[in-house]
């Protein structure tokens, strides 16, 4: 590690205080990474950003999840108790590339059950927000909450 890298400082900053050019750079990088744009030029056109701004920020701004090497999250669900719900829920997680580490399910009471899943989301093909969105859309899911995240 060179002297410059030893002196670099990193900060965790909430998205709403980032300059627009940094947010758009992140959006453009994601388009390229997900193969939604074939080139930097196409990506910056899609997000309405100049190429110079993209190149200025591309190596200095990163989504938080790309900095963490292994990501484990714990999700809590309140589900309708009917046949196949857990299987369908796990199929959505697997379809997004999440790896289930633990499952805890309570005994159903009054037609509802609580399920807690611990997931390794390091290799997910979709973002965490997209996974949560897909899970919330399942008709038997009453509640989805992120209980915790970390490594």
């Amino acid at each position: 590690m060179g002297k410059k890298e030893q002196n670099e400082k990193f900060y965790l900053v909430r998205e709403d205080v980032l300059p627009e050019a940094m947010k758009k750079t992140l959006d453009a990088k994601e388009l390229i990474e997900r193969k939604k744009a074939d080139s930097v030029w196409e990506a910056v056109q899609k997000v309405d950003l100049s190429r110079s701004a993209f190149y200025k920020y591309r190596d200095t701004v990163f989504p938080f999840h790309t900095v963490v090497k292994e990501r484990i999250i714990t999700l809590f669900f309140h589900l309708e108790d009917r046949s196949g719900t857990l299987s369908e829920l796990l199929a959505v997680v697997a379809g997004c590339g999440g790896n289930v580490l633990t499952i805890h399910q309570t005994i159903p009471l009054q037609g509802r059950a609580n399920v807690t899943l611990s997931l390794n989301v390091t290799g997910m093909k979709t973002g965490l927000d997209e996974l949560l969105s897909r899970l919330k859309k399942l008709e038997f899911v009453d509640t989805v909450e992120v209980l915790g995240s970390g490594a």
Side-chain angles (χ1 to χ4, degrees):
M1 187 182 309
K3 185 172 177 135
K4 182 181 179 194
E5 287 121 9
Q6 288 176 348
N7 293 330
E8 287 182 340
K9 291 183 181 181
F10 293 88
Y11 300 93
L12 183 60
V13 179
R14 215 176 52 233
E15 179 185 31
D16 63 324
V17 298
L18 283 177
E20 198 64 29
M22 286 185 173
K23 290 187 222 178
K24 288 181 177 185
T25 299
L26 288 168
D27 292 341
K29 287 171 62 170
E30 184 174 358
L31 289 172
I32 294 166
E33 182 181 314
R34 292 179 182 255
K35 309 275 191 248
K36 304 271 184 188
D38 295 325
S39 65
V40 170
W41 182 86
E42 184 180 348
V44 297
Q45 291 294 308
K46 286 183 176 185
V47 299
D48 191 30
L49 179 70
S50 71
R51 283 174 36 113
S52 62
F54 175 83
Y55 285 114
K56 177 179 180 179
Y57 295 120
R58 75 170 178 178
D59 295 326
T60 61
V61 62
F62 305 96
F64 180 70
H65 65 84
T66 63
V67 179
V68 180
K69 293 205 187 309
E70 183 173 288
R71 297 177 18 223
I72 298 171
I73 63 165
T74 303
L75 300 177
F76 171 82
F77 299 86
H78 192 67
L79 308 174
E80 226 180 288
D81 178 38
R82 57 182 176 177
S83 181
T85 56
L86 184 57
S87 175
E88 200 173 329
L89 184 108
L90 294 174
V92 171
V93 170
C96 289
N99 182 27
V100 177
L101 302 173
T102 65
I103 302 172
H104 176 76
Q105 181 175 353
T106 62
I107 294 173
L109 297 173
Q110 299 176 345
R112 300 281 186 262
N114 295 327
V115 174
T116 305
L117 295 180
S118 293
L119 308 173
N120 182 335
V121 294
T122 305
M124 278 193 7
K125 297 172 252 175
T126 58
L128 182 56
D129 291 342
E130 176 64 22
L131 170 64
L132 293 173
S133 175
R134 290 181 188 182
L135 291 168
K136 288 175 183 176
K137 288 179 184 172
L138 296 171
E139 64 183 50
F140 54 84
V141 172
D142 294 334
T143 307
V144 180
E145 295 177 35
V146 178
L147 292 183
S149 61

